[in-house]
PDB file of all heavy atoms in Angstrom:
ATOM      1  N   ILE A   4     -11.026  36.819  81.847  1.00  0.00           N
ATOM      2  CA  ILE A   4     -11.347  35.522  82.403  1.00  0.00           C
ATOM      3  C   ILE A   4     -12.605  35.589  83.256  1.00  0.00           C
ATOM      4  O   ILE A   4     -13.435  34.672  83.257  1.00  0.00           O
ATOM      5  CB  ILE A   4     -10.161  34.957  83.228  1.00  0.00           C
ATOM      6  CG1 ILE A   4     -10.432  33.520  83.699  1.00  0.00           C
ATOM      7  CG2 ILE A   4      -9.816  35.857  84.397  1.00  0.00           C
ATOM      8  CD1 ILE A   4     -10.366  32.503  82.620  1.00  0.00           C
ATOM      9  N   GLU A   5     -12.808  36.692  83.932  1.00  0.00           N
ATOM     10  CA  GLU A   5     -14.013  36.855  84.757  1.00  0.00           C
ATOM     11  C   GLU A   5     -15.268  36.871  83.881  1.00  0.00           C
ATOM     12  O   GLU A   5     -16.289  36.260  84.223  1.00  0.00           O
ATOM     13  CB  GLU A   5     -13.915  38.136  85.581  1.00  0.00           C
ATOM     14  CG  GLU A   5     -12.879  38.094  86.693  1.00  0.00           C
ATOM     15  CD  GLU A   5     -11.461  38.343  86.193  1.00  0.00           C
ATOM     16  OE1 GLU A   5     -11.293  38.709  85.003  1.00  0.00           O
ATOM     17  OE2 GLU A   5     -10.525  38.184  86.993  1.00  0.00           O
ATOM     18  N   SER A   6     -15.192  37.552  82.729  1.00  0.00           N
ATOM     19  CA  SER A   6     -16.339  37.601  81.823  1.00  0.00           C
ATOM     20  C   SER A   6     -16.617  36.230  81.221  1.00  0.00           C
ATOM     21  O   SER A   6     -17.781  35.829  81.060  1.00  0.00           O
ATOM     22  CB  SER A   6     -16.085  38.608  80.702  1.00  0.00           C
ATOM     23  OG  SER A   6     -15.953  39.913  81.213  1.00  0.00           O
ATOM     24  N   ARG A   7     -15.571  35.503  80.901  1.00  0.00           N
ATOM     25  CA  ARG A   7     -15.753  34.159  80.359  1.00  0.00           C
ATOM     26  C   ARG A   7     -16.350  33.216  81.394  1.00  0.00           C
ATOM     27  O   ARG A   7     -17.143  32.326  81.070  1.00  0.00           O
ATOM     28  CB  ARG A   7     -14.426  33.625  79.834  1.00  0.00           C
ATOM     29  CG  ARG A   7     -14.074  34.224  78.489  1.00  0.00           C
ATOM     30  CD  ARG A   7     -12.606  34.476  78.258  1.00  0.00           C
ATOM     31  NE  ARG A   7     -11.699  33.416  78.627  1.00  0.00           N
ATOM     32  CZ  ARG A   7     -10.451  33.651  79.041  1.00  0.00           C
ATOM     33  NH1 ARG A   7     -10.004  34.902  79.137  1.00  0.00           N
ATOM     34  NH2 ARG A   7      -9.651  32.659  79.345  1.00  0.00           N
ATOM     35  N   ALA A   8     -16.009  33.420  82.669  1.00  0.00           N
ATOM     36  CA  ALA A   8     -16.600  32.606  83.730  1.00  0.00           C
ATOM     37  C   ALA A   8     -18.096  32.897  83.866  1.00  0.00           C
ATOM     38  O   ALA A   8     -18.904  31.975  84.050  1.00  0.00           O
ATOM     39  CB  ALA A   8     -15.887  32.882  85.053  1.00  0.00           C
ATOM     40  N   VAL A   9     -18.463  34.164  83.768  1.00  0.00           N
ATOM     41  CA  VAL A   9     -19.873  34.537  83.824  1.00  0.00           C
ATOM     42  C   VAL A   9     -20.636  33.892  82.671  1.00  0.00           C
ATOM     43  O   VAL A   9     -21.743  33.375  82.839  1.00  0.00           O
ATOM     44  CB  VAL A   9     -20.031  36.070  83.795  1.00  0.00           C
ATOM     45  CG1 VAL A   9     -21.493  36.462  83.588  1.00  0.00           C
ATOM     46  CG2 VAL A   9     -19.505  36.676  85.089  1.00  0.00           C
ATOM     47  N   ALA A  10     -20.034  33.888  81.473  1.00  0.00           N
ATOM     48  CA  ALA A  10     -20.682  33.296  80.310  1.00  0.00           C
ATOM     49  C   ALA A  10     -20.876  31.795  80.494  1.00  0.00           C
ATOM     50  O   ALA A  10     -21.923  31.245  80.116  1.00  0.00           O
ATOM     51  CB  ALA A  10     -19.855  33.576  79.060  1.00  0.00           C
ATOM     52  N   PHE A  11     -19.881  31.114  81.077  1.00  0.00           N
ATOM     53  CA  PHE A  11     -20.008  29.679  81.337  1.00  0.00           C
ATOM     54  C   PHE A  11     -21.220  29.404  82.223  1.00  0.00           C
ATOM     55  O   PHE A  11     -22.040  28.513  81.928  1.00  0.00           O
ATOM     56  CB  PHE A  11     -18.729  29.179  82.004  1.00  0.00           C
ATOM     57  CG  PHE A  11     -18.807  27.757  82.499  1.00  0.00           C
ATOM     58  CD1 PHE A  11     -18.480  26.706  81.663  1.00  0.00           C
ATOM     59  CD2 PHE A  11     -19.200  27.468  83.804  1.00  0.00           C
ATOM     60  CE1 PHE A  11     -18.544  25.387  82.111  1.00  0.00           C
ATOM     61  CE2 PHE A  11     -19.268  26.163  84.258  1.00  0.00           C
ATOM     62  CZ  PHE A  11     -18.944  25.120  83.407  1.00  0.00           C
ATOM     63  N   GLU A  12     -21.346  30.167  83.292  1.00  0.00           N
ATOM     64  CA  GLU A  12     -22.439  29.927  84.238  1.00  0.00           C
ATOM     65  C   GLU A  12     -23.787  30.382  83.679  1.00  0.00           C
ATOM     66  O   GLU A  12     -24.829  29.897  84.116  1.00  0.00           O
ATOM     67  CB  GLU A  12     -22.113  30.640  85.546  1.00  0.00           C
ATOM     68  CG  GLU A  12     -20.898  29.991  86.243  1.00  0.00           C
ATOM     69  CD  GLU A  12     -20.428  30.764  87.459  1.00  0.00           C
ATOM     70  OE1 GLU A  12     -20.717  31.975  87.545  1.00  0.00           O
ATOM     71  OE2 GLU A  12     -19.753  30.150  88.311  1.00  0.00           O
ATOM     72  N   ARG A  13     -23.745  31.267  82.695  1.00  0.00           N
ATOM     73  CA  ARG A  13     -24.986  31.698  82.043  1.00  0.00           C
ATOM     74  C   ARG A  13     -25.461  30.674  81.014  1.00  0.00           C
ATOM     75  O   ARG A  13     -26.657  30.414  80.887  1.00  0.00           O
ATOM     76  CB  ARG A  13     -24.744  33.046  81.357  1.00  0.00           C
ATOM     77  CG  ARG A  13     -25.954  33.620  80.593  1.00  0.00           C
ATOM     78  CD  ARG A  13     -25.497  34.702  79.649  1.00  0.00           C
ATOM     79  NE  ARG A  13     -24.624  34.180  78.607  1.00  0.00           N
ATOM     80  CZ  ARG A  13     -23.565  34.832  78.116  1.00  0.00           C
ATOM     81  NH1 ARG A  13     -23.217  36.013  78.589  1.00  0.00           N
ATOM     82  NH2 ARG A  13     -22.837  34.280  77.164  1.00  0.00           N
ATOM     83  N   ASP A  14     -24.529  30.093  80.284  1.00  0.00           N
ATOM     84  CA  ASP A  14     -24.893  29.242  79.150  1.00  0.00           C
ATOM     85  C   ASP A  14     -25.218  27.808  79.549  1.00  0.00           C
ATOM     86  O   ASP A  14     -25.876  27.094  78.788  1.00  0.00           O
ATOM     87  CB  ASP A  14     -23.746  29.229  78.131  1.00  0.00           C
ATOM     88  CG  ASP A  14     -23.519  30.596  77.494  1.00  0.00           C
ATOM     89  OD1 ASP A  14     -24.439  31.431  77.541  1.00  0.00           O
ATOM     90  OD2 ASP A  14     -22.403  30.826  76.963  1.00  0.00           O
ATOM     91  N   LEU A  15     -24.758  27.361  80.708  1.00  0.00           N
ATOM     92  CA  LEU A  15     -25.025  26.003  81.162  1.00  0.00           C
ATOM     93  C   LEU A  15     -25.861  26.049  82.434  1.00  0.00           C
ATOM     94  O   LEU A  15     -25.584  26.832  83.345  1.00  0.00           O
ATOM     95  CB  LEU A  15     -23.720  25.252  81.431  1.00  0.00           C
ATOM     96  CG  LEU A  15     -22.790  25.027  80.230  1.00  0.00           C
ATOM     97  CD1 LEU A  15     -21.514  24.334  80.680  1.00  0.00           C
ATOM     98  CD2 LEU A  15     -23.470  24.234  79.126  1.00  0.00           C
TER      99      LEU A  15
END
Side-chain angles (χ1 to χ4, degrees):
I4 186 73
E5 290 80 8
S6 297
R7 283 145 46 210
V9 169
F11 172 88
E12 293 173 338
R13 179 197 64 217
D14 295 340
L15 297 177

